[in-house]
Amino acid sequence: MASSDSLSNSSSLADWFDAVSHIIYYQPDDALASKTFNERYSDDAVIKINHGRFDKAKYWELIKAARDVNHLAVQSNKELHTWNAPDGLGGGCVAQLGYFTSTKKEDGTQTVASSLTLTNVQVQDGKRVVVELTEIMKP
């Protein structure tokens, strides 16, 4: 479970993004997921998933739809590479490879998928926020 320490600018970039992702995708509280998403994704964030390109609002619609019909569970996540911004404020870029399971709430059908994410994080108003996310997802 993510703690407030893992959402601080002093945690590693990979740990921070893991914590944000856990809250948004994997824990069951929809209100907490929405609040975290709104606080931790920039209003002008650009999200690319495979060939699709989404703004923040459309991406939240996709997340909410996935949460509504599935139980999502992370299987593993590996940091591949990180660049920390030289200003020392906590921004940077992180590449991660993760595996997760989605289980349909209706019938229990499971799908295992992998996701390679490249995440660009900046510090705005003193907090880390995702400004760009590129994801290559494969079921």
Side-chain angles (χ1 to χ4, degrees):
M1 182 66 148
S3 70
S4 60
D5 288 343
S6 57
L7 293 180
S8 77
N9 292 6
S10 62
S11 64
S12 78
L13 207 51
D15 287 347
W16 178 85
F17 188 66
D18 283 348
V20 168
S21 296
H22 176 79
I23 294 169
I24 292 171
Y25 295 105
Y26 304 114
Q27 62 76 38
D29 184 334
D30 290 333
L32 178 59
S34 177
K35 179 180 185 291
T36 301
F37 179 80
N38 284 318
E39 291 177 353
R40 297 303 178 157
Y41 275 72
S42 171
D43 288 343
D44 59 351
V46 174
I47 296 93
K48 301 175 206 168
I49 304 172
N50 296 342
H51 279 166
R53 182 180 171 108
F54 309 96
D55 64 12
K56 182 179 178 178
K58 183 63 178 172
Y59 187 49
W60 176 248
E61 288 177 22
L62 295 173
I63 294 169
K64 187 169 176 352
R67 288 177 57 89
D68 285 348
V69 299
N70 297 294
H71 292 290
L72 303 169
V74 67
Q75 300 304 312
S76 66
N77 202 28
K78 180 180 179 182
E79 177 182 356
L80 300 177
H81 202 54
T82 300
W83 172 81
N84 293 299
D87 60 14
L89 297 176
C93 301
V94 62
Q96 295 177 306
L97 177 61
Y99 294 87
F100 63 94
T101 304
S102 65
T103 304
K104 296 270 186 215
K105 290 178 181 178
E106 185 177 299
D107 64 9
T109 304
Q110 283 193 341
T111 303
V112 177
S114 62
S115 175
L116 173 65
T117 57
L118 307 171
T119 309
N120 183 344
V121 176
Q122 293 179 357
V123 176
Q124 297 177 355
D125 297 324
K127 286 197 291 189
R128 284 176 169 162
V129 294
V130 174
V131 295
E132 187 171 4
L133 174 77
T134 299
E135 178 178 12
I136 302 167
M137 190 175 73
K138 183 177 177 183

